[in-house]
């Protein structure tokens, strides 16, 4: 299920071969894969999750499995503006074979735990939003069962559907809260008419904290940030996931479930910057980018920008 990193996805303009101030990501990224031991400098590890089995089970539109390498191609062209002492490596891809979603999620979790154990901050490129369950498994294994884990999801949907028949890209957060009493969930950008009343009842039953899309705005950003800070204060560690369908469809058409009244990209950028800057934040994933449904590469390009924002603003402790 694992494939090594490839230079085929990292290319772009070269302004200088020697001046670090002129470098772009494709000149900075290390393609040697997962390190054999702990790193001594702050390092980000990009790991792809080529999976859309959960979207298929959820009866969504397919194509998200193509996203990790497409995002790499767009990211590679962006200028590198972090400190020279900060490193970024490509940790390869975990690929879901057929409908073996659970096995793929477990494999992704193992890679994430390995990266965290080696002091590498994981940046995960999904894949359908089932990516997040693997993300969670890796973080939980790293911090141990007794640590309190805060989950922040920027998403139009709760993804707390029943999973009696089988898990999907719409069930992960219910799965986690059903089995892990030391985890809590904050969702930002919920679409009132993108979730049934039953899902709102489920969220309330599980004491999920959330803010509706119409309340996540620049005019209310102080309130939004306080909500985030209060949530983070309750936990030992935090992990962040972004489902791209939270964004207004005019900016992000390449998703399984477009949102006509979604968030503007600058709002999402501000949320990412704020959350990843916190010392408790361990990792970040972006999911539900669907190149097969994209228009002029808009969604892929936006995803690459969000990944860049996470890396450029991540806490460096």
């Amino acid at each position: 299920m694992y494939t090594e990193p490839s230079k085929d996805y990292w290319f772009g303009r070269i302004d200088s071969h020697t001046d670090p101030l002129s470098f772009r990501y494709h000149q900075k990224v290390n393609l040697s894969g997962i390190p054999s031991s702990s790193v001594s400098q702050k390092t980000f590890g990009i790991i792809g999750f080529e999976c859309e089995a959960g979207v298929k089970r959820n009866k969504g539109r397919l194509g998200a499995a193509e996203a990790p390498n497409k995002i790499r191609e767009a990211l590679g062209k962006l200028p590198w503006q972090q400190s020279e002492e900060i490193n970024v490596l490509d940790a390869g891809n975990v690929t879901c074979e057929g409908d073996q979603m659970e096995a793929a999620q477990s494999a992704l979790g193992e890679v994430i735990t390995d990266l965290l154990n080696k002091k590498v901050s994981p940046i995960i490129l999904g894949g359908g939003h089932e990516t997040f369950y693997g993300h969670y498994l890796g973080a939980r294994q790293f911090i141990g069962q007794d640590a309190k884990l805060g989950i922040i999801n920027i998403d139009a949907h709760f993804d707390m559907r029943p999973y009696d028949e089988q898990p999907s890209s719409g069930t992960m957060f219910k799965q986690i809260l059903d089995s892990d009493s030391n985890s809590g969930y904050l969702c930002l950008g919920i679409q009132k008419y993108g979730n049934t009343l039953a899902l709102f009842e489920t969220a309330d039953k599980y004491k999920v904290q959330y803010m509706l899309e119409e309340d996540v705005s620049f005019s209310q950003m102080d309130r939004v940030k306080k909500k985030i800070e209060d949530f983070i204060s309750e936990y030992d560690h935090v992990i962040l996931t972004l489902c791209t369908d939270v964004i207004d469809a005019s900016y992000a058409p390449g998703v399984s479930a477009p949102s006509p009244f979604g968030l503007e990209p600058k709002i999402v950028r501000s949320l990412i910057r704020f959350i990843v800057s916190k010392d408790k934040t361990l990792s970040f994933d972006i999911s539900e980018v669907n190149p097969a449904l994209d228009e002029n590469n808009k969604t892929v390009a936006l995803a690459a920008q969000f990944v860049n924002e996470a890396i450029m603003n991540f806490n460096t402790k």
Side-chain angles (χ1 to χ4, degrees):
M1 287 188 170
Y2 177 76
T3 55
E4 297 287 342
S6 170
K7 64 179 181 180
D8 292 345
Y9 308 113
W10 296 101
F11 54 86
R13 177 174 176 161
I14 297 176
D15 291 335
S16 172
H17 290 279
T18 57
D19 178 11
L21 298 180
S22 298
F23 284 179
R24 290 177 167 79
Y25 269 86
H26 71 92
Q27 294 172 277
K28 180 69 177 180
V29 67
N30 185 326
L31 298 175
S32 59
I34 301 171
S36 58
S37 59
S38 294
V39 298
S40 58
Q41 294 178 305
K42 181 64 180 181
T43 302
F44 296 96
I46 295 173
I47 176 70
F49 190 58
E50 296 178 306
C51 180
E52 58 188 8
V55 176
K56 185 175 183 180
R57 293 181 186 183
N58 204 24
K59 299 179 174 58
R61 302 190 298 171
L62 301 183
E66 302 173 19
N69 292 335
K70 293 293 186 182
I71 296 173
R72 282 183 174 95
E73 291 178 4
L75 183 64
K77 297 177 176 64
L78 297 182
W80 175 260
Q81 294 185 356
Q82 264 283 19
S83 163
E84 286 184 51
E85 287 71 38
I86 305 296
N87 297 320
V88 59
L89 63 86
D90 189 340
N93 286 337
V94 172
T95 304
C96 179
E97 300 173 357
D99 191 46
Q100 297 182 54
M101 183 184 81
E102 291 82 358
Q105 289 169 325
S106 178
L108 176 61
E110 291 175 6
V111 173
I112 291 169
T113 301
D114 191 20
L115 290 171
L116 288 168
N117 279 330
K118 291 168 179 172
K119 300 183 179 179
V120 177
S121 299
I123 305 292
I124 305 107
L125 312 180
H129 209 184
E130 66 267 24
T131 300
F132 179 70
Y133 194 72
H135 180 178
Y136 157 77
L137 291 175
R140 174 51 78 189
Q141 177 65 27
F142 171 70
I143 65 176
Q145 295 303 313
D146 294 333
K148 297 183 69 177
L149 178 64
I151 296 165
I152 302 180
N153 180 25
I154 306 172
D155 199 339
H157 310 101
F158 286 115
D159 289 339
M160 293 189 67
R161 294 180 180 176
Y163 53 96
D164 301 340
E165 295 184 8
Q166 61 181 353
S168 73
S169 63
T171 65
M172 304 84 57
F173 299 97
K174 189 172 189 299
Q175 290 174 255
I176 293 167
L177 297 178
D178 276 339
S179 61
D180 186 347
S181 60
N182 283 327
S183 285
Y185 178 24
L186 168 64
C187 193
L188 305 169
I190 285 290
Q191 288 276 344
K192 183 175 181 179
Y193 299 113
N195 300 268
T196 63
L197 289 175
L199 286 169
F200 278 97
E201 286 187 356
T202 299
D204 291 339
K205 175 184 175 184
Y206 282 81
K207 297 181 171 56
V208 174
Q209 299 183 47
Y210 63 89
M211 297 189 75
L212 296 175
E213 161 270 323
E214 59 203 65
D215 296 324
V216 180
S217 63
F218 281 122
S219 64
Q220 301 188 71
M221 190 53 69
D222 287 345
R223 178 169 168 257
V224 175
K225 287 183 176 180
K226 186 176 188 307
K227 181 82 168 179
I228 294 169
E229 287 183 326
D230 289 347
F231 177 80
I232 291 175
S233 70
E234 300 176 17
Y235 297 93
D236 300 314
H237 305 278
V238 171
I239 55 178
L240 173 62
T241 177
L242 167 63
C243 185
T244 316
D245 67 18
V246 75
I247 300 162
D248 188 299
S250 62
Y251 300 101
V255 297
S256 179
S259 295
F261 298 110
L263 300 177
E264 293 185 2
K266 288 183 179 180
I267 293 286
V268 176
R269 180 178 66 179
S270 293
L271 295 175
I272 293 171
R273 286 175 172 176
F274 185 69
I275 296 164
V276 301
S277 71
K278 301 302 179 182
D279 291 346
K280 293 181 180 180
T281 304
L282 293 175
S283 47
F284 167 71
D285 81 65
I286 183 167
S287 299
E288 295 286 353
V289 174
N290 190 327
L293 299 171
D294 209 359
E295 297 173 5
N296 299 318
N297 221 35
K298 278 200 292 190
T299 314
V300 168
L302 184 59
Q305 293 283 351
F306 286 144
V307 171
N308 176 59
E309 291 290 345
I311 291 173
M312 291 298 153
N313 292 279
F314 213 98
N315 66 78
T316 54
K317 293 184 179 180

